[in-house]
Amino acid sequence: MSKEFIVPTGSIIKEYLDELGMSQKECAKRIGSSEKHFSNIISGKSRLTEDVAIKLENVIQDAPASYWLNYEIKYREFKKREEAKLETYTNDQLEKLSKRFNFNAIFNGLDWSLSKQADEMLKLLRISDFEQFEAVYSDLSIDFMEDGGEKEAIAIWLNLAREEVEIQNKDIDEISYNKEKLMKSLSKFKKIALDSDYESSIKSARKLLNRLGVYLVFCDAITNSKVRGALTTYRKHPAIFLSGRFKTHDHVWFALMHEIGHLLYHYITTDTPIISFEDELELKEISTKEGEANEFARDFFIDIEDYKKFIEHQKFDRMNIEKFAETQQILPGIVVARLQRDGYLMYDQLNFLKT
């Protein structure tokens, strides 16, 4: 209900009485109320009670008690929101919040005041006050974060991705996630990854995951979030979020299988997400969970023993890479990416084999 129509319930009652040609004094007499109390109801100073609403049914027969009571609830909610706005932030505080929570990037193109942007950010983060941010998102404290701005960016990204779940996925409420079924379907993911059009392959992967009771969301990373992906829970189902920051087939599929590794090894139904960062492969020390997920994704596409034999020959040209990729039933770009990560190729070598 828009603001211009939010008036005291008593104002609507008075309009009905005017239509009936009945005075407030006469109505008060008919419902057994004092004139003063009824006058306070009309002005909105006193709350309309169930008792008065029921009595009004006999006087204003076109409107049931439920109509008056529902309107009264909306009016009181509106009043409470208006009172809360009086305790809003100063312009200086809003400017600081804008920088901290990156309003410019999130609300770019929207002609909103800083106050409006602050309200919308609170809704996005699902908190009632910015002072609650640290307590609610304390689990996002990562040991190797270099600056204090990242936690806000990560929290915003997670919630932006959360808003995309039902947009990007079909309804899977009736499908239960089953770890064993996912394990049996792994070979299907490898076949899907053979599609050189990564967008097409990811759509197929999403359909397969949905059939297994898992959500998959692509949501562009935001400044300072540095996230590659996350595994969390949405409506009692596992949900994989990918930032797709490096939109090449090998990066996207490694990120997806990394999160599937987390799903197989580490998932528990919880609100606390497992977050994977962009630069983890370059870190000397990573968590055990991240190491296990990396190993799963790495070995998912390429048999480790076959890979050891391949690198022994040290012939990393196009022909040999394509031949080896064929034996592993994967695209050559995945082999190139593996060789680059392991230091056998420079990061600018053979990138034309990637898609």
Side-chain angles (χ1 to χ4, degrees), residues 269-300:
T269 304
T270 176
D271 289 333
T272 303
I274 299 173
I275 303 170
S276 305
F277 292 87
E278 293 171 1
D279 54 359
E280 277 172 340
L281 292 176
E282 283 70 45
L283 292 172
K284 293 181 180 179
E285 294 184 11
I286 60 176
S287 69
T288 301
K289 289 182 179 180
E290 287 303 304
E292 290 173 346
N294 277 344
E295 185 176 347
F296 173 82
R298 183 193 67 197
D299 297 339
F300 174 77

mmCIF file of all heavy atoms in Angstrom, residues 269-300:
data_model
loop_
_atom_site.group_PDB
_atom_site.id
_atom_site.type_symbol
_atom_site.label_atom_id
_atom_site.label_comp_id
_atom_site.label_asym_id
_atom_site.label_seq_id
_atom_site.Cartn_x
_atom_site.Cartn_y
_atom_site.Cartn_z
ATOM 1 N N THR A 269 24.117 -29.204 6.113
ATOM 2 C CA THR A 269 23.064 -28.213 5.959
ATOM 3 C C THR A 269 23.266 -27.106 6.986
ATOM 4 O O THR A 269 23.043 -27.305 8.177
ATOM 5 C CB THR A 269 21.679 -28.844 6.138
ATOM 6 O OG1 THR A 269 21.545 -29.921 5.205
ATOM 7 C CG2 THR A 269 20.573 -27.825 5.888
ATOM 8 N N THR A 270 23.710 -25.971 6.531
ATOM 9 C CA THR A 270 24.009 -24.861 7.425
ATOM 10 C C THR A 270 23.899 -23.550 6.665
ATOM 11 O O THR A 270 23.957 -23.519 5.442
ATOM 12 C CB THR A 270 25.419 -24.997 8.020
ATOM 13 O OG1 THR A 270 25.717 -23.850 8.818
ATOM 14 C CG2 THR A 270 26.461 -25.117 6.924
ATOM 15 N N ASP A 271 23.758 -22.458 7.404
ATOM 16 C CA ASP A 271 23.722 -21.133 6.785
ATOM 17 C C ASP A 271 25.126 -20.592 6.527
ATOM 18 O O ASP A 271 25.290 -19.564 5.874
ATOM 19 C CB ASP A 271 22.969 -20.148 7.688
ATOM 20 C CG ASP A 271 21.474 -20.427 7.724
ATOM 21 O OD1 ASP A 271 20.974 -20.985 6.736
ATOM 22 O OD2 ASP A 271 20.826 -20.096 8.724
ATOM 23 N N THR A 272 26.147 -21.258 7.079
ATOM 24 C CA THR A 272 27.514 -20.781 6.914
ATOM 25 C C THR A 272 28.103 -21.316 5.613
ATOM 26 O O THR A 272 28.293 -22.526 5.474
ATOM 27 C CB THR A 272 28.405 -21.228 8.090
ATOM 28 O OG1 THR A 272 27.833 -20.768 9.316
ATOM 29 C CG2 THR A 272 29.813 -20.656 7.941
ATOM 30 N N PRO A 273 28.395 -20.454 4.652
ATOM 31 C CA PRO A 273 28.891 -20.935 3.357
ATOM 32 C C PRO A 273 30.360 -21.328 3.399
ATOM 33 O O PRO A 273 31.123 -20.843 4.233
ATOM 34 C CB PRO A 273 28.682 -19.720 2.445
ATOM 35 C CG PRO A 273 28.807 -18.546 3.361
ATOM 36 C CD PRO A 273 28.233 -18.992 4.683
ATOM 37 N N ILE A 274 30.738 -22.237 2.495
ATOM 38 C CA ILE A 274 32.149 -22.533 2.247
ATOM 39 C C ILE A 274 32.537 -21.682 1.042
ATOM 40 O O ILE A 274 31.975 -21.833 -0.038
ATOM 41 C CB ILE A 274 32.356 -24.021 1.931
ATOM 42 C CG1 ILE A 274 31.902 -24.894 3.109
ATOM 43 C CG2 ILE A 274 33.825 -24.300 1.606
ATOM 44 C CD1 ILE A 274 31.917 -26.379 2.811
ATOM 45 N N ILE A 275 33.489 -20.782 1.228
ATOM 46 C CA ILE A 275 33.831 -19.807 0.188
ATOM 47 C C ILE A 275 35.178 -20.132 -0.429
ATOM 48 O O ILE A 275 36.147 -20.425 0.280
ATOM 49 C CB ILE A 275 33.855 -18.379 0.765
ATOM 50 C CG1 ILE A 275 32.499 -18.044 1.401
ATOM 51 C CG2 ILE A 275 34.187 -17.358 -0.317
ATOM 52 C CD1 ILE A 275 32.494 -16.766 2.188
ATOM 53 N N SER A 276 35.249 -20.092 -1.752
ATOM 54 C CA SER A 276 36.497 -20.325 -2.479
ATOM 55 C C SER A 276 36.934 -19.014 -3.122
ATOM 56 O O SER A 276 36.125 -18.332 -3.759
ATOM 57 C CB SER A 276 36.296 -21.397 -3.554
ATOM 58 O OG SER A 276 35.786 -22.585 -2.981
ATOM 59 N N PHE A 277 38.202 -18.680 -2.966
ATOM 60 C CA PHE A 277 38.703 -17.401 -3.460
ATOM 61 C C PHE A 277 39.532 -17.555 -4.726
ATOM 62 O O PHE A 277 40.064 -18.633 -5.015
ATOM 63 C CB PHE A 277 39.526 -16.709 -2.363
ATOM 64 C CG PHE A 277 38.690 -16.270 -1.204
ATOM 65 C CD1 PHE A 277 38.420 -17.142 -0.161
ATOM 66 C CD2 PHE A 277 38.131 -15.007 -1.161
ATOM 67 C CE1 PHE A 277 37.626 -16.762 0.900
ATOM 68 C CE2 PHE A 277 37.343 -14.613 -0.111
ATOM 69 C CZ PHE A 277 37.085 -15.491 0.931
ATOM 70 N N GLU A 278 39.640 -16.467 -5.455
ATOM 71 C CA GLU A 278 40.284 -16.487 -6.765
ATOM 72 C C GLU A 278 41.743 -16.907 -6.697
ATOM 73 O O GLU A 278 42.238 -17.606 -7.572
ATOM 74 C CB GLU A 278 40.205 -15.099 -7.409
ATOM 75 C CG GLU A 278 38.793 -14.692 -7.772
ATOM 76 C CD GLU A 278 38.724 -13.245 -8.204
ATOM 77 O OE1 GLU A 278 39.776 -12.586 -8.232
ATOM 78 O OE2 GLU A 278 37.627 -12.774 -8.509
ATOM 79 N N ASP A 279 42.455 -16.452 -5.673
ATOM 80 C CA ASP A 279 43.904 -16.632 -5.659
ATOM 81 C C ASP A 279 44.354 -17.797 -4.784
ATOM 82 O O ASP A 279 45.525 -17.908 -4.447
ATOM 83 C CB ASP A 279 44.597 -15.351 -5.190
ATOM 84 C CG ASP A 279 44.051 -14.865 -3.847
ATOM 85 O OD1 ASP A 279 43.140 -15.522 -3.307
ATOM 86 O OD2 ASP A 279 44.549 -13.845 -3.351
ATOM 87 N N GLU A 280 43.459 -18.698 -4.435
ATOM 88 C CA GLU A 280 43.832 -19.782 -3.539
ATOM 89 C C GLU A 280 44.879 -20.720 -4.133
ATOM 90 O O GLU A 280 45.710 -21.276 -3.419
ATOM 91 C CB GLU A 280 42.595 -20.598 -3.153
ATOM 92 C CG GLU A 280 41.834 -19.955 -2.023
ATOM 93 C CD GLU A 280 40.513 -20.651 -1.761
ATOM 94 O OE1 GLU A 280 40.024 -21.361 -2.643
ATOM 95 O OE2 GLU A 280 39.991 -20.463 -0.668
ATOM 96 N N LEU A 281 44.851 -20.890 -5.450
ATOM 97 C CA LEU A 281 45.817 -21.800 -6.068
ATOM 98 C C LEU A 281 47.246 -21.277 -5.929
ATOM 99 O O LEU A 281 48.202 -22.042 -5.984
ATOM 100 C CB LEU A 281 45.480 -21.990 -7.549
ATOM 101 C CG LEU A 281 44.188 -22.754 -7.833
ATOM 102 C CD1 LEU A 281 43.932 -22.785 -9.335
ATOM 103 C CD2 LEU A 281 44.258 -24.166 -7.291
ATOM 104 N N GLU A 282 47.388 -19.957 -5.741
ATOM 105 C CA GLU A 282 48.725 -19.384 -5.611
ATOM 106 C C GLU A 282 49.173 -19.299 -4.148
ATOM 107 O O GLU A 282 50.322 -18.971 -3.863
ATOM 108 C CB GLU A 282 48.744 -17.970 -6.222
ATOM 109 C CG GLU A 282 48.801 -17.954 -7.744
ATOM 110 C CD GLU A 282 47.505 -18.421 -8.382
ATOM 111 O OE1 GLU A 282 46.445 -17.985 -7.941
ATOM 112 O OE2 GLU A 282 47.574 -19.249 -9.303
ATOM 113 N N LEU A 283 48.268 -19.572 -3.203
ATOM 114 C CA LEU A 283 48.621 -19.493 -1.793
ATOM 115 C C LEU A 283 49.433 -20.716 -1.367
ATOM 116 O O LEU A 283 49.154 -21.836 -1.776
ATOM 117 C CB LEU A 283 47.353 -19.405 -0.929
ATOM 118 C CG LEU A 283 46.536 -18.123 -1.062
ATOM 119 C CD1 LEU A 283 45.230 -18.267 -0.316
ATOM 120 C CD2 LEU A 283 47.315 -16.934 -0.543
ATOM 121 N N LYS A 284 50.440 -20.496 -0.550
ATOM 122 C CA LYS A 284 51.264 -21.600 -0.064
ATOM 123 C C LYS A 284 50.505 -22.415 0.980
ATOM 124 O O LYS A 284 50.705 -23.615 1.108
ATOM 125 C CB LYS A 284 52.570 -21.062 0.516
ATOM 126 C CG LYS A 284 53.490 -20.430 -0.520
ATOM 127 C CD LYS A 284 54.774 -19.945 0.117
ATOM 128 C CE LYS A 284 55.706 -19.315 -0.934
ATOM 129 N NZ LYS A 284 56.948 -18.807 -0.319
ATOM 130 N N GLU A 285 49.683 -21.737 1.759
ATOM 131 C CA GLU A 285 48.938 -22.422 2.799
ATOM 132 C C GLU A 285 47.449 -22.195 2.582
ATOM 133 O O GLU A 285 46.984 -21.069 2.566
ATOM 134 C CB GLU A 285 49.342 -21.900 4.181
ATOM 135 C CG GLU A 285 50.780 -22.209 4.560
ATOM 136 C CD GLU A 285 51.093 -21.762 5.980
ATOM 137 O OE1 GLU A 285 50.147 -21.412 6.703
ATOM 138 O OE2 GLU A 285 52.283 -21.756 6.332
ATOM 139 N N ILE A 286 46.725 -23.281 2.407
ATOM 140 C CA ILE A 286 45.279 -23.203 2.295
ATOM 141 C C ILE A 286 44.673 -24.202 3.262
ATOM 142 O O ILE A 286 45.351 -25.095 3.769
ATOM 143 C CB ILE A 286 44.791 -23.479 0.859
ATOM 144 C CG1 ILE A 286 45.204 -24.891 0.406
ATOM 145 C CG2 ILE A 286 45.300 -22.435 -0.112
ATOM 146 C CD1 ILE A 286 44.669 -25.261 -0.955
ATOM 147 N N SER A 287 43.403 -24.043 3.529
ATOM 148 C CA SER A 287 42.746 -24.933 4.474
ATOM 149 C C SER A 287 42.688 -26.354 3.923
ATOM 150 O O SER A 287 42.805 -26.586 2.714
ATOM 151 C CB SER A 287 41.328 -24.431 4.758
ATOM 152 O OG SER A 287 40.512 -24.598 3.608
ATOM 153 N N THR A 288 42.517 -27.301 4.825
ATOM 154 C CA THR A 288 42.414 -28.706 4.417
ATOM 155 C C THR A 288 41.249 -28.909 3.461
ATOM 156 O O THR A 288 41.367 -29.617 2.452
ATOM 157 C CB THR A 288 42.241 -29.606 5.646
ATOM 158 O OG1 THR A 288 43.360 -29.428 6.519
ATOM 159 C CG2 THR A 288 42.142 -31.072 5.248
ATOM 160 N N LYS A 289 40.116 -28.269 3.762
ATOM 161 C CA LYS A 289 38.936 -28.402 2.908
ATOM 162 C C LYS A 289 39.215 -27.895 1.501
ATOM 163 O O LYS A 289 38.839 -28.535 0.507
ATOM 164 C CB LYS A 289 37.749 -27.654 3.507
ATOM 165 C CG LYS A 289 37.160 -28.295 4.755
ATOM 166 C CD LYS A 289 35.965 -27.502 5.246
ATOM 167 C CE LYS A 289 35.364 -28.147 6.486
ATOM 168 N NZ LYS A 289 34.192 -27.367 6.982
ATOM 169 N N GLU A 290 39.867 -26.732 1.409
ATOM 170 C CA GLU A 290 40.161 -26.177 0.095
ATOM 171 C C GLU A 290 41.149 -27.057 -0.659
ATOM 172 O O GLU A 290 41.030 -27.255 -1.874
ATOM 173 C CB GLU A 290 40.712 -24.750 0.226
ATOM 174 C CG GLU A 290 39.670 -23.713 0.621
ATOM 175 C CD GLU A 290 38.519 -23.674 -0.352
ATOM 176 O OE1 GLU A 290 38.743 -23.484 -1.558
ATOM 177 O OE2 GLU A 290 37.371 -23.857 0.095
ATOM 178 N N GLY A 291 42.127 -27.598 0.065
ATOM 179 C CA GLY A 291 43.092 -28.487 -0.572
ATOM 180 C C GLY A 291 42.424 -29.734 -1.129
ATOM 181 O O GLY A 291 42.729 -30.172 -2.243
ATOM 182 N N GLU A 292 41.496 -30.291 -0.381
ATOM 183 C CA GLU A 292 40.789 -31.490 -0.831
ATOM 184 C C GLU A 292 39.900 -31.190 -2.035
ATOM 185 O O GLU A 292 39.817 -31.996 -2.975
ATOM 186 C CB GLU A 292 39.954 -32.060 0.319
ATOM 187 C CG GLU A 292 40.802 -32.676 1.425
ATOM 188 C CD GLU A 292 39.990 -33.087 2.637
ATOM 189 O OE1 GLU A 292 38.809 -32.655 2.745
ATOM 190 O OE2 GLU A 292 40.522 -33.817 3.485
ATOM 191 N N ALA A 293 39.231 -30.034 -2.010
ATOM 192 C CA ALA A 293 38.378 -29.660 -3.140
ATOM 193 C C ALA A 293 39.218 -29.381 -4.379
ATOM 194 O O ALA A 293 38.833 -29.741 -5.503
ATOM 195 C CB ALA A 293 37.531 -28.437 -2.782
ATOM 196 N N ASN A 294 40.382 -28.743 -4.199
ATOM 197 C CA ASN A 294 41.295 -28.508 -5.327
ATOM 198 C C ASN A 294 41.756 -29.817 -5.938
ATOM 199 O O ASN A 294 41.801 -29.986 -7.157
ATOM 200 C CB ASN A 294 42.514 -27.706 -4.862
ATOM 201 C CG ASN A 294 42.258 -26.217 -4.827
ATOM 202 O OD1 ASN A 294 41.296 -25.728 -5.417
ATOM 203 N ND2 ASN A 294 43.102 -25.492 -4.113
ATOM 204 N N GLU A 295 42.125 -30.757 -5.070
ATOM 205 C CA GLU A 295 42.608 -32.057 -5.554
ATOM 206 C C GLU A 295 41.519 -32.801 -6.305
ATOM 207 O O GLU A 295 41.779 -33.416 -7.349
ATOM 208 C CB GLU A 295 43.093 -32.893 -4.367
ATOM 209 C CG GLU A 295 43.733 -34.207 -4.768
ATOM 210 C CD GLU A 295 44.285 -34.966 -3.582
ATOM 211 O OE1 GLU A 295 44.400 -34.374 -2.491
ATOM 212 O OE2 GLU A 295 44.601 -36.161 -3.752
ATOM 213 N N PHE A 296 40.289 -32.737 -5.790
ATOM 214 C CA PHE A 296 39.173 -33.398 -6.468
ATOM 215 C C PHE A 296 38.969 -32.813 -7.860
ATOM 216 O O PHE A 296 38.835 -33.549 -8.846
ATOM 217 C CB PHE A 296 37.891 -33.243 -5.651
ATOM 218 C CG PHE A 296 36.661 -33.743 -6.358
ATOM 219 C CD1 PHE A 296 36.351 -35.095 -6.360
ATOM 220 C CD2 PHE A 296 35.837 -32.865 -7.058
ATOM 221 C CE1 PHE A 296 35.229 -35.571 -7.041
ATOM 222 C CE2 PHE A 296 34.708 -33.330 -7.737
ATOM 223 C CZ PHE A 296 34.408 -34.690 -7.722
ATOM 224 N N ALA A 297 38.936 -31.473 -7.959
ATOM 225 C CA ALA A 297 38.709 -30.820 -9.254
ATOM 226 C C ALA A 297 39.862 -31.103 -10.216
ATOM 227 O O ALA A 297 39.651 -31.337 -11.412
ATOM 228 C CB ALA A 297 38.543 -29.315 -9.058
ATOM 229 N N ARG A 298 41.083 -31.071 -9.693
ATOM 230 C CA ARG A 298 42.271 -31.306 -10.525
ATOM 231 C C ARG A 298 42.266 -32.704 -11.131
ATOM 232 O O ARG A 298 42.525 -32.897 -12.315
ATOM 233 C CB ARG A 298 43.523 -31.111 -9.661
ATOM 234 C CG ARG A 298 44.846 -31.262 -10.401
ATOM 235 C CD ARG A 298 45.978 -31.364 -9.409
ATOM 236 N NE ARG A 298 45.890 -32.618 -8.641
ATOM 237 C CZ ARG A 298 46.532 -32.834 -7.498
ATOM 238 N NH1 ARG A 298 47.265 -31.887 -6.954
ATOM 239 N NH2 ARG A 298 46.410 -34.006 -6.888
ATOM 240 N N ASP A 299 41.961 -33.703 -10.288
ATOM 241 C CA ASP A 299 42.026 -35.095 -10.737
ATOM 242 C C ASP A 299 40.737 -35.579 -11.392
ATOM 243 O O ASP A 299 40.701 -36.689 -11.924
ATOM 244 C CB ASP A 299 42.362 -36.015 -9.554
ATOM 245 C CG ASP A 299 43.728 -35.705 -8.969
ATOM 246 O OD1 ASP A 299 44.546 -35.092 -9.678
ATOM 247 O OD2 ASP A 299 43.971 -36.060 -7.795
ATOM 248 N N PHE A 300 39.690 -34.756 -11.339
ATOM 249 C CA PHE A 300 38.423 -35.162 -11.941
ATOM 250 C C PHE A 300 38.567 -35.316 -13.452
ATOM 251 O O PHE A 300 38.058 -36.263 -14.050
ATOM 252 C CB PHE A 300 37.333 -34.132 -11.629
ATOM 253 C CG PHE A 300 36.028 -34.394 -12.325
ATOM 254 C CD1 PHE A 300 35.161 -35.380 -11.871
ATOM 255 C CD2 PHE A 300 35.667 -33.669 -13.454
ATOM 256 C CE1 PHE A 300 33.969 -35.647 -12.522
ATOM 257 C CE2 PHE A 300 34.466 -33.925 -14.113
ATOM 258 C CZ PHE A 300 33.619 -34.912 -13.643
#
